[in-house]
């Protein structure tokens, strides 16, 4: 059994704390050894991707200390215990099995009287069979017509991940003859969100997917009722237009309002659920089950790279440990995720939840206060849009913000145009290259307003093209990065009590069972509509 202790009790942690400000990326990438550094500071990922950290503020001494921290923290042993079914989620006393939805890393995990890998495979098969029947016309609407659209109703992990994955693959699917159904998403309990989406839908030919593990999520059930009202007013049968993704014990299971239900369990956290039925139903309906299967396989292959004990061969572990160095030693409070791919437009939003909901903790796994900072603030936008927005602060602001670039040498559609002797894709790749060097090396100028200090650290994940398999690998990389960082900090990355308080208070407002400050704010806001 691995030993769980606070990071600041480890000798390697104390050694790491003494290595602040050792490396100037500006000096490293301006030196004659720059090409050697860029070549050597790269780690192959699955599906042809590469993680490059040459523009990070690390050297051999820091990397050795990070390896010592990994070993002393027993990170690989903790990962092994996790995927073999240990109760790693101490807050909710649950196993953590999201990797099992896409492959088998270790031994069989038996829970609730069943083999969980078999359970996840069977649910994936059920979804695949349902999607194929919808696409072939074996499952049709009231008038015997085929469905052409799908709309997911969910919030948090039931929306952010699946939405990001759908948008990431939409153009690829259209370009490769894999596009089956247009997908839409309703998440916000704000009725303007639901109304705007419903107005775009051909209700008679739409399947709604209601996603709620408990079957009691207030926002999701409210939006379900909102949508059902539209369905009924259109003279349609609710049961011909809704399916559910939920747990077997929820009120949504075995419910006549749904033509079919697909199941998940408590061992898959919402923000880690894109590889379960939460992402599987909408992606299989939108693109076909074989595309979803490729996505899962890409994630499974990347999971295997996270088993490597040597951090120089383990991209997620290296990314995690450098992030620890930046957060705890360099004291950088935030990280920007900058995909130079419009298809990944919502990927930073998904990573916000994945990272901040997982590692935004101030007590350890035993509920004891810790004396060091944990997860950074995550934000981001696709390049080149971000360059004309917040890059000003990143280049010349008072805070240093570590950067994570993602780029591909080819676009998804194959469509492009040559302008001024280069294609749009070439210009995109030129921009990400230029930004990495600009952030690292800066620029001196006699005019202080035009001077760039540089030494702004960044990493780059790059590959040939964003496909279902590379997207799966990319998702796995960041999930495992977050997991490893939580292990080092000795926090529970798999519960989210910070989400619950607001929900409880909202219910108190709705039931008029309020304390005075809450009552005052409720009257201030709600009465304004009268």
């Amino acid at each position: 059994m691995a030993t769980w202790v606070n990071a600041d009790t480890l000798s390697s942690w104390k050694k790491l704390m003494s290595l602040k400000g050792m490396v100037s990326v500006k000096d490293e990438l301006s030196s004659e050894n720059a090409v050697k550094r860029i070549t050597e500071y790269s780690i192959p990922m699955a599906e042809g991707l590469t993680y490059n950290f040459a523009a990070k503020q690390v050297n051999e001494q820091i990397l050795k200390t990070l390896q010592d921290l990994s070993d002393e923290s027993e990170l690989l042993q903790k990962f092994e215990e996790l995927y073999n079914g240990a109760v790693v989620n101490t807050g909710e006393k649950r196993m953590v099995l999201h990797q099992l939805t896409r492959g088998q890393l270790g031994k069989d995990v038996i829970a609730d009287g069943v083999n969980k890998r078999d359970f996840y495979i069977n649910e994936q098969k059920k979804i695949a069979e349902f999607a194929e029947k919808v696409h072939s016309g074996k499952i049709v609407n009231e008038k015997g017509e085929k469905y052409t659209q799908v709309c997911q109703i969910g919030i948090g992990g039931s929306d952010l991940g699946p939405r990001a994955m759908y948008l990431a693959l939409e153009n690829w699917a259209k370009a490769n003859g894999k596009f089956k159904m247009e997908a839409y998403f309703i998440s916000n309990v704000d009725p303007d969100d639901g109304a705007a989406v419903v107005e775009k839908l051909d209700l008679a030919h739409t399947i709604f997917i209601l996603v709620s593990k408990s079957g009691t999520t207030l926002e999701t059930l409210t939006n379900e009722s909102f949508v059902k009202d539209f369905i009924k007013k259109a003279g349609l049968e609710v049961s011909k237009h809704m399916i559910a993704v939920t747990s077997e014990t929820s009120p949504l299971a075995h419910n006549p309002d749904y033509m079919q239900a697909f199941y998940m369990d408590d061992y898959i956290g919402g923000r880690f659920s894109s590889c379960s039925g939460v992402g599987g139903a909408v992606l299989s309906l939108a693109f076909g089950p074989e595309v979803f299967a490729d996505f899962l396989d890409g994630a499974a292959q990347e999971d295997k790279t996270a088993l490597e004990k040597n951090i120089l061969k383990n991209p997620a572990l290296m990314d995690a440990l450098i992030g620890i160095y930046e957060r705890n030693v360099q004291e950088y409070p935030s990280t920007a995720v900058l995909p130079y791919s419009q298809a990944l437009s919502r990927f930073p939003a998904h990573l916000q939840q994945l990272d901040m909901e997982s590692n935004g903790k101030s007590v350890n796994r035993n509920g004891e206060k810790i004396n060091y900072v944990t997860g950074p603030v995550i934000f981001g936008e696709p390049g080149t849009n971000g360059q004309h927005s917040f890059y000003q602060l990143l280049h010349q602001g008072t805070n240093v913000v570590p950067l994570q670039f993602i780029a591909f040498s080819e676009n998804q559609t194959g469509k492009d145009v040559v302008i001024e002797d280069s294609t749009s894709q070439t210009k995109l790749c030129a921009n990400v290259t230029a930004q990495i060097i600009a952030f690292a090396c800066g620029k001196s100028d006699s005019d202080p307003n035009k001077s760039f200090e540089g030494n702004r650290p960044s990493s780059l994940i790059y590959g040939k093209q964003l496909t279902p398999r590379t997207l799966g690998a990319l998702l796995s990389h960041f999930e495992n990065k977050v997991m490893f960082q939580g292990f080092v900090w000795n926090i529970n990355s798999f519960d989210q009590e910070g989400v619950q308080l607001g929900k409880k208070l909202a219910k108190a407002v709705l039931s008029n069972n309020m304390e005075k400050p809450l009552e005052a704010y409720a009257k201030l806001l709600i009465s304004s509509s009268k």
Side-chain angles (χ1 to χ4, degrees):
M1 292 286 290
T3 303
W4 297 85
V5 296
N6 287 358
D8 55 3
T9 66
L10 304 174
S11 59
S12 53
W13 176 272
K14 295 170 184 175
K15 173 71 177 298
L16 191 66
M17 294 303 113
S18 70
L19 303 180
K20 183 173 183 176
M22 281 195 69
V23 178
S24 165
V25 179
K26 182 176 183 177
D27 292 343
E28 293 289 343
L29 294 185
S30 300
S31 74
E32 59 185 19
N33 295 320
V35 173
K36 181 173 182 287
R37 179 183 175 93
I38 291 168
T39 302
E40 292 182 352
Y41 280 27
S42 285
I43 306 176
M45 298 169 60
E47 307 303 336
L49 295 174
T50 299
Y51 171 70
N52 184 283
F53 58 100
K56 287 293 191 180
Q57 295 166 322
V58 295
N59 60 13
E60 298 307 310
Q61 183 179 359
I62 292 171
L63 292 177
K64 181 183 182 305
T65 308
L66 292 176
Q67 180 70 68
D68 292 341
L69 178 62
S70 176
D71 295 341
E72 193 177 4
S73 299
E74 301 178 300
L75 299 187
L76 271 295
Q77 186 176 341
K78 289 170 182 174
F79 184 29
E80 182 180 0
E81 291 179 7
L82 179 148
Y83 63 68
N84 280 326
V87 179
V88 175
N89 180 350
T90 50
E92 297 170 319
K93 297 179 173 58
R94 293 172 182 167
M95 300 180 293
V96 176
L97 300 180
H98 56 272
Q99 283 101 348
L100 202 56
T101 61
R102 56 202 185 216
Q104 184 77 52
L105 290 175
K107 64 185 181 182
D108 288 345
V109 177
I110 309 298
D112 308 325
V114 299
N115 181 304
K116 297 310 295 185
R117 176 63 181 150
D118 290 345
F119 171 77
Y120 299 139
I121 289 175
N122 288 336
E123 290 305 309
Q124 183 187 343
K125 286 180 178 177
K126 283 169 55 181
I127 290 170
E129 290 169 0
F130 179 81
E132 286 167 352
K133 287 178 180 178
V134 169
H135 298 152
S136 66
K138 291 181 180 178
I139 294 178
V140 292
N141 70 3
E142 301 95 323
K143 294 183 178 180
E145 298 166 337
K146 291 177 71 172
Y147 297 98
T148 58
Q149 296 175 324
V150 56
C151 180
Q152 182 134 318
I153 304 172
I155 197 165
S158 299
D159 170 75
L160 286 165
R163 188 193 295 250
M165 302 309 128
Y166 170 79
L167 292 174
L169 296 178
E170 183 180 16
N171 282 333
W172 176 91
K174 289 176 179 176
N176 288 275
K178 300 293 185 181
F179 193 77
K180 308 291 185 183
M181 301 172 72
E182 200 87 35
Y184 296 84
F185 298 83
I186 298 174
S187 58
N188 199 328
V189 77
D190 182 344
D192 288 343
D193 181 27
V197 174
V198 171
E199 286 176 3
K200 298 174 184 176
L201 298 175
D202 177 0
L203 286 176
H205 302 94
T206 299
I207 294 175
F208 290 90
I209 307 171
L210 189 76
V211 183
S212 175
K213 188 191 313 185
S214 66
T216 61
T217 307
L218 181 62
E219 297 97 327
T220 301
L221 296 182
T222 300
N223 279 330
E224 178 198 27
S225 297
F226 188 82
V227 166
K228 280 182 177 179
D229 188 55
F230 278 95
I231 294 172
K232 292 172 184 176
K233 286 178 179 177
L236 303 170
E237 298 176 35
V238 169
S239 62
K240 282 286 188 179
H241 294 274
M242 300 200 88
I243 64 175
V245 178
T246 189
S247 67
E248 291 182 279
T249 57
S250 93
L252 306 182
H254 315 293
N255 187 316
D257 276 355
Y258 309 102
M259 61 175 109
Q260 193 156 343
F262 305 105
Y263 298 120
M264 53 179 167
D265 56 38
D266 286 335
Y267 312 118
I268 310 296
R271 56 197 176 276
F272 296 97
S273 66
S274 290
C275 291
S276 73
V278 174
V282 65
L283 295 178
S284 295
L285 284 168
F287 309 131
E290 69 281 354
V291 171
F292 182 62
D294 284 345
F295 167 72
L296 293 182
D297 197 45
Q301 296 308 313
E302 185 63 23
D303 282 341
K304 292 177 183 177
T305 71
L307 302 175
E308 175 59 56
K309 188 174 183 179
N310 182 348
I311 67 171
L312 295 173
K313 298 180 179 179
N314 188 326
L317 182 55
M318 178 66 83
D319 199 358
L321 291 167
I322 291 175
I324 295 281
Y325 177 75
E326 291 174 335
R327 185 73 180 103
N328 296 99
V329 182
Q330 299 290 81
E331 300 180 279
Y332 301 146
S334 58
T335 297
V337 179
L338 308 170
Y340 275 64
S341 167
Q342 187 61 28
L344 292 174
S345 60
R346 293 298 290 167
F347 195 65
H350 170 58
L351 294 187
Q352 279 184 330
Q353 185 196 15
L354 175 65
D355 200 311
M356 295 169 71
E357 194 168 89
S358 296
N359 289 342
K361 310 291 171 63
S362 56
V363 298
N364 67 14
R365 298 170 77 253
N366 300 318
E368 302 160 341
K369 191 76 174 176
I370 52 178
N371 298 315
Y372 43 83
V373 296
T374 57
V377 172
I378 304 295
F379 69 98
E381 279 288 323
T384 56
N385 297 35
Q387 292 177 203
H388 295 268
S389 175
F390 53 81
Y391 276 37
Q392 170 61 46
L393 183 146
L394 300 183
H395 276 293
Q396 293 182 306
T398 53
N399 280 335
V400 173
V401 179
L403 316 165
Q404 293 199 299
F405 290 97
I406 304 169
F408 302 93
S409 60
E410 296 181 4
N411 64 27
Q412 292 181 310
T413 64
K415 298 176 182 178
D416 209 340
V417 64
V418 175
I419 300 291
E420 296 181 0
D421 300 323
S422 63
T423 66
S424 298
Q425 186 67 29
T426 302
K427 290 180 175 67
L428 185 69
C429 292
N431 269 277
V432 71
T433 302
Q435 290 296 328
I436 291 171
I437 298 304
F439 280 117
C441 298
K443 181 180 79 74
S444 298
D445 197 288
S446 57
D447 181 350
N449 195 50
K450 296 180 180 180
S451 182
F452 294 76
E453 186 176 343
N455 206 27
R456 312 270 165 145
S458 68
S459 63
L460 171 65
I461 294 175
Y462 65 94
K464 183 177 180 182
Q465 188 185 60
L466 183 61
T467 67
R469 299 182 72 93
T470 55
L471 179 65
L474 195 62
L475 178 70
S476 165
H477 172 89
F478 283 100
E479 288 183 348
N480 292 331
K481 171 191 174 181
V482 167
M483 172 193 71
F484 283 131
Q485 288 185 331
F487 288 169
V488 172
W489 286 320
N490 194 31
I491 57 177
N492 180 10
S493 300
F494 305 105
D495 65 2
Q496 55 283 329
E497 289 302 319
V499 178
Q500 305 305 321
L501 178 59
K503 290 182 178 181
K504 292 176 182 177
L505 292 177
K507 289 180 179 179
V509 172
L510 292 170
S511 65
N512 291 314
N513 183 22
M514 297 175 281
E515 297 178 359
K516 287 185 179 180
L518 191 61
E519 181 179 5
Y521 274 108
K523 286 181 177 178
L524 182 69
L525 182 60
I526 296 173
S527 64
S528 68
S529 64
K530 296 178 181 178

